[in-house]
Amino acid sequence: MVNSPSEKPLSSEKNRTAVVVGGGPTGTLIALYLAQAGWHVSVYEKRSADAKASSNRRSFNIVLNRRGLKALEDAGVQLPPDKQVCITGNIRHTEKDSILRKGFRTSVSVDRHTLAQSLIAEGKNRFPDNIQYYFEQTLLQLNLQDKTALFQEASGQHEQTFDLLIGADGISSTVRHSMSSQLEGFTVRQHADDMMYKICNLGLAEHLPGATAEWADAFHVWPGAEPVTMAAPPSADGVIRAVLILPQEGEITFDTIRTEADVSALFQAKLPVVFPTLDQTGFPPHFVQDLLSQKAAHGGFTTMCNRFEDGDCVVLLGDAAHSIWPSLGQGCNAALESCRIFAEVLAHAQGDLSLALPAYTAARKPDTDAVARLSEIGFGGNKRASNPLFKAKVSTLMLMHKLLPKWFKGYALLQIGNADVPYANIWQQAQSQEKQLLGLFAIVVGIVPMLWITFQIIHKVWL
């Protein structure tokens, strides 16, 4: 663990209390930021503190780019080296080749639970008097007028007062639901992705067909054939836990994959490079049983609130405020970045919540709305990635950028992990590029007939 440059409080909030609902990466990181500013913080998590009891076999690693990493660094956090993987590149597995490329080289792969536990350990080590963690606690009732929260635990119920309550309790946020029922004019819109996923344990990276030593630290993608995709970030233990993604409706869905023969037909037809000797060797032990026994998980939701706060006492952070589809791998990065920005806004307002909370909405909402829209058009583990038109757009923009860099910028979404480029700017650039492509298409459509007419005239004159 690395302490922050200064453990000295950032402002005069020493005797104020904050309640954080949610003990995931968002809740545990904002607790660190608040404690660093002098707040007394209570973090309430509904799950058990026991790692084994809290484990989920559907869990897969989070890829943190510079957005997420900067948020951790600014809070003085460095992840344990043995619990993370510094990604060395990406491998796109096709029947043609599986070559290590440069993508993801500034990113880190870490298990979500490990990330949250590391942040809790930071808090206990650095701020033992400022942060208290409570597990197996369910928020039953939130009274914004009285600034009280009622929690249920094994031994009964207890009430907690607060100066500030932060809802970091995820996509199905109880805090957000309470705000919807108590606040006039507070609105929420959610849009579901139509992709579903299951986890495929492919064993150690070194056992993959054609593997080299450097594959263990690479991000793997098997594009397959539309609409099937599989992707896997590296893990600290070297095991490849791939995310198999299928549409919710259509000819091929998880509902149609019910037997070993169905699984075999799927991989032979759509992902033949994963098990190239399937006819001779069959699947690895327990692979089919594990895949079929899993309940398919939903691809996710985009969540858009018209504001993230109310008055001077409650604010939403992370997925509770702005969940997004997983297609761009930005969910956790955006959530951690929101913690950093909220801390900056709070410090700028010198702890005045009546100024800081609405200022945070104004500062952050344009970017979170933008990344939500980007995730809905984004490439990644879903059917949009294998759409020929989508691929043609990306290829055309990259080609035009090389030929005419002054007029055509690099593909907008390639900046998604750059902490210095706001999501809103990327969205605006993506919209501009759509217009450029339409203009280019119009020119091509106009030129081709003109060339044909010119050719016919020349042909008649000379003949």
Side-chain angles (χ1 to χ4, degrees):
M1 296 181 187
V2 174
N3 289 344
S4 63
S6 173
E7 301 300 332
K8 202 175 172 184
L10 299 177
S11 58
S12 58
E13 293 139 290
K14 285 187 176 181
N15 296 318
R16 303 174 78 184
T17 60
V19 168
V20 177
V21 182
T26 303
T28 50
L29 180 61
I30 196 59
L32 285 172
Y33 274 113
L34 290 173
Q36 187 172 311
W39 286 76
H40 290 277
V41 187
S42 296
V43 179
Y44 290 88
E45 167 58 40
K46 65 181 179 180
R47 296 182 178 88
S48 169
D50 181 14
K52 293 182 180 179
S54 302
S55 63
N56 184 342
R57 71 174 177 173
R58 292 206 311 244
S59 176
F60 55 92
N61 277 23
I62 291 168
V63 175
L64 297 179
N65 56 39
R66 283 305 307 162
R67 292 183 190 274
L69 294 174
K70 178 174 172 55
L72 296 178
E73 291 165 3
D74 285 6
V77 177
Q78 183 174 336
L79 298 175
D82 61 330
K83 299 294 185 180
Q84 63 173 310
V85 179
C86 296
I87 301 178
T88 56
N90 70 300
I91 300 173
R92 188 178 176 87
H93 297 271
T94 67
E95 293 185 74
K96 181 180 178 182
D97 60 40
S98 297
I99 299 174
L100 183 67
R101 293 176 172 84
K102 295 180 180 180
F104 296 93
R105 285 193 178 177
T106 60
S107 300
V108 165
S109 177
V110 62
D111 176 76
R112 180 189 182 280
H113 179 73
T114 298
L115 175 58
Q117 289 299 307
S118 297
L119 292 171
I120 291 172
E122 282 281 322
K124 290 180 177 180
N125 179 59
R126 290 166 50 190
F127 302 106
D129 297 328
N130 288 76
I131 307 178
Q132 300 298 317
Y133 301 92
Y134 302 95
F135 297 92
E136 298 182 78
Q137 304 268 344
T138 301
L139 177 64
L140 295 180
Q141 185 177 329
L142 175 61
N143 189 317
L144 297 177
Q145 185 173 359
D146 295 338
K147 298 184 181 180
T148 59
L150 182 66
F151 292 92
Q152 176 72 56
E153 57 184 331
S155 59
Q157 300 178 1
H158 73 277
E159 190 174 77
Q160 170 77 56
T161 60
F162 57 83
D163 295 300
L164 170 65
L165 184 135
I166 294 178
D169 49 343
I171 194 169
S172 302
S173 171
T174 303
V175 175
R176 189 183 65 233
H177 179 73
S178 296
M179 292 172 67
S180 296
S181 63
Q182 296 181 49
L183 303 179
E184 185 177 352
F186 179 78
T187 61
V188 181
R189 180 183 71 82
Q190 290 190 311
H191 182 203
D193 192 358
D194 58 1
M195 306 303 284
M196 308 291 287
Y197 77 84
K198 290 188 179 184
I199 300 299
C200 296
N201 189 326
L202 300 181
L204 295 174
E206 62 191 52
H207 295 159
L208 293 175
T212 63
E214 56 193 1
W215 281 26
D217 295 338
F219 187 98
H220 299 264
V221 177
W222 293 264
E226 190 175 354
V228 181
T229 303
M230 196 161 70
S235 301
D237 60 5
V239 175
I240 298 297
R241 298 175 182 87
V243 185
L244 176 63
I245 304 152
L246 300 179
Q248 191 171 5
E249 298 178 351
E251 183 180 348
I252 301 176
T253 69
F254 284 116
D255 289 336
T256 66
I257 310 299
R258 298 183 178 183
T259 66
E260 182 171 354
D262 294 335
V263 177
S264 179
L266 173 69
F267 277 87
Q268 286 183 321
K270 300 296 185 179
L271 297 163
V273 297
V274 180
F275 301 112
T277 61
L278 186 59
D279 286 339
Q280 294 78 37
T281 61
F283 288 105
H286 311 297
F287 179 86
V288 173
Q289 180 183 1
D290 183 62
L291 183 64
L292 294 177
S293 64
Q294 290 181 50
K295 181 179 178 181
H298 206 285
F301 293 82
T302 52
T303 300
M304 291 188 183
C305 306
N306 66 328
R307 64 183 191 271
F308 300 145
E309 50 28 76
D310 184 71
D312 64 351
C313 69
V314 63
V315 66
L316 299 171
L317 291 179
D319 283 352
H322 51 73
S323 66
I324 60 178
W325 290 1
S327 61
L328 296 176
Q330 290 301 295
C332 189
N333 287 288
L336 300 183
E337 185 177 61
S338 290
C339 294
R340 176 180 66 83
I341 292 172
F342 177 76
E344 290 176 354
V345 171
L346 186 61
H348 183 73
Q350 298 182 331
D352 187 336
L353 296 176
S354 64
L355 297 176
L357 301 192
Y360 169 69
T361 290
R364 190 58 174 157
K365 184 170 163 55
D367 286 322
T368 57
D369 285 357
V371 74
R373 296 188 185 100
L374 287 167
S375 75
E376 293 177 352
I377 68 168
F379 60 92
N382 53 57
K383 64 184 180 182
R384 294 174 292 278
S386 53
N387 185 296
L389 179 59
F390 185 86
K391 290 181 179 179
K393 285 182 179 181
V394 177
S395 299
T396 301
L397 284 169
M398 294 178 72
L399 175 62
M400 296 308 295
H401 175 61
K402 287 184 178 181
L403 296 175
L404 301 167
K406 289 185 178 180
W407 287 274
F408 289 85
K409 294 183 179 181
Y411 186 51
L413 286 179
L414 296 180
Q415 304 176 86
I416 202 73
N418 189 340
D420 296 324
V421 182
Y423 288 126
N425 289 12
I426 298 174
W427 170 251
Q428 291 169 1
Q429 186 176 328
Q431 294 300 101
S432 297
Q433 289 179 337
E434 284 289 325
K435 294 178 182 178
Q436 283 183 311
L437 284 173
L438 288 174
L440 189 62
F441 177 74
I443 291 172
V444 171
V445 169
I447 287 178
V448 170
M450 291 297 297
L451 290 176
W452 175 252
I453 293 171
T454 302
F455 172 78
Q456 292 296 321
I457 293 173
I458 294 174
H459 182 71
K460 289 179 180 180
V461 169
W462 285 98
L463 295 180

